[in-house]
Amino acid sequence: MNTLPNKLFKRSAVIALLFALLFCIGCNTVTTPNGTSETYGNRLMLATNNTAFYYDGILYWLKDTETISHKLYCIDVSTGESMPLCGKPECSHDSVSCNAYIDSDGRGLVVYGEKLYWISNFSPAMYLWCSDLDGGNRQKVMELDKETESLTYDSKFVGIYDGKLFHCGCGSLVNDGNPIKSMLLYSQPLQSGSEPTRLYYAENVLRVFSRMSGNKLYFAIIRSDFGLELCVCDMDSGEVEVLCSDSNSEYDAQDLLAIDDRLILHGSGIAVYVYSITDGSLTTIGKEGCEYDYVTDSKLYDVVSRGYYRLYDMDGELISDGAIDPPGFADGNYYTHYIGCVDDTMYFMFLVYPQSNGQISLSPPQESIAAFNTETLEWSLVFDDRE
């Protein structure tokens, strides 16, 4: 018997009574009272890929489909139970009329105030949407400014703090006929008709990635010449401070973790960098000549080959190595994509592409999710999409 819907419905019902005293939700408006300050740190997601969000034991995940829409699932990571996030009674979940189908590729998937938010694709306008955590009560929150969104479009990080949307990402513009890649951080109240406020802008950017922690939003800019600029935004005041800037060395990373008094840059498969918020030092960790792909709170994970990993401590000392072998994937006929970590558990997407006459078809791949416990060194399947 699938108990996940009951778990979600009960939680939503209780929280709805509490938040009814705090939130007034109109047709196209979501308002929050002054002084309310909520933020849910999401260490699960790589900043470059918001197709999943972890909150309170539930993984909210956007699965690719053969339609222009993606399908939202909620997955209980402790039991493996899953269901489309619909909220409609007696829905068959097999057509775009199902609430689980949303016009978004995961941009801005985030939980705030016991609601799930996401940003729709250009069609033709972009909107911020929200729904209850069971998929019901879906509504447009506000239309987003196209010009502003075009400067953040290449990164899907979105955070919400104290009733404001914070969006940080990259985009392209043309200056005197020359394309320039830039980045922008802006904020905007969660209210229909509100205007965005630009907080930080930079040009000649290769990529930017962000992470919220408390009332701070940290973001790292990798410049076109692989220089690094590490910044922090005080989300209460909107003020931005440059913590570290280095144009004399080459840096590369894909993600940022905020853990205690450290900021950890990782995900490039080249090096891992640690910035100390306490003393302002920036160091490279691990042993020279080794490559480290991803980081948890206390470990370095290296993908040696498609089916083999090495696990190190934060000093680069080998802890273990072994096969990447969740149940049913030992043959290696798959591709993996790292999603992120929660405590000692790392989550990976396993992609199996349909084949016809020995050729990969154009149909969406089967997308399963596996968990790797870095303490027990055990692999398990959280979501199995194989036929």
Side-chain angles (χ1 to χ4, degrees), residues 133-195:
L133 294 184
D134 62 3
N137 195 27
R138 183 195 297 190
Q139 60 181 298
K140 287 180 182 177
V141 179
M142 59 188 181
E143 184 174 353
L144 301 176
D145 179 68
K146 275 190 174 182
E147 181 181 354
T148 302
E149 286 302 312
S150 68
L151 298 177
T152 61
Y153 196 78
D154 286 354
S155 180
K156 300 173 183 178
F157 171 83
V158 165
I160 300 178
Y161 173 84
D162 200 18
K164 287 184 179 180
L165 172 73
F166 287 82
H167 197 173
C168 183
C170 292
S172 297
L173 53 83
V174 177
N175 187 4
D176 294 330
N178 298 313
I180 298 175
K181 191 166 185 179
S182 60
M183 66 74 58
L184 174 68
L185 167 65
Y186 77 86
S187 67
Q188 184 172 350
L190 295 183
Q191 189 169 359
S192 180
S194 63
E195 296 292 333

Side-chain angles (χ1 to χ4, degrees), residues 93-104:
H93 311 305
D94 58 2
S95 72
V96 293
S97 63
C98 169
N99 269 352
Y101 286 86
I102 64 174
D103 176 28
S104 175

Side-chain angles (χ1 to χ4, degrees), residues 244-296:
C244 174
S245 181
D246 185 358
S247 58
N248 298 318
S249 303
E250 291 190 356
Y251 295 86
D252 198 10
Q254 301 281 350
D255 188 37
L256 173 67
L257 291 180
I259 302 174
D260 299 327
D261 62 346
R262 298 170 296 158
L263 302 179
I264 302 177
L265 286 70
H266 70 118
S268 66
I270 299 174
V272 174
Y273 313 100
V274 179
Y275 175 82
S276 170
I277 299 173
T278 303
D279 61 24
S281 62
L282 180 66
T283 57
T284 302
I285 63 174
K287 290 188 174 181
E288 185 177 354
C290 294
E291 294 185 354
Y292 309 106
D293 291 282
Y294 308 113
V295 176
T296 70

Side-chain angles (χ1 to χ4, degrees), residues 44-45 51-53 58-63 73-77 80 82 326-327 329 335-340 345-352 366-372 379-386:
L44 180 70
M45 290 319 308
T51 54
F53 192 96
I58 302 296
L59 180 63
Y60 298 91
W61 175 52
L62 266 182
K63 184 181 180 301
Y73 281 82
C74 51
I75 303 168
D76 188 322
V77 296
S82 64
F329 286 90
Y335 296 88
T336 60
H337 173 73
Y338 181 57
I339 298 176
T345 301
M346 305 178 74
Y347 292 92
F348 296 82
M349 185 181 298
F350 279 66
L351 306 174
V352 178
Q366 298 168 347
E367 300 176 344
S368 300
I369 297 177
F372 176 57
W379 288 88
S380 60
L381 273 180
V382 174
F383 181 88
D384 194 348
D385 189 40
R386 294 168 299 172

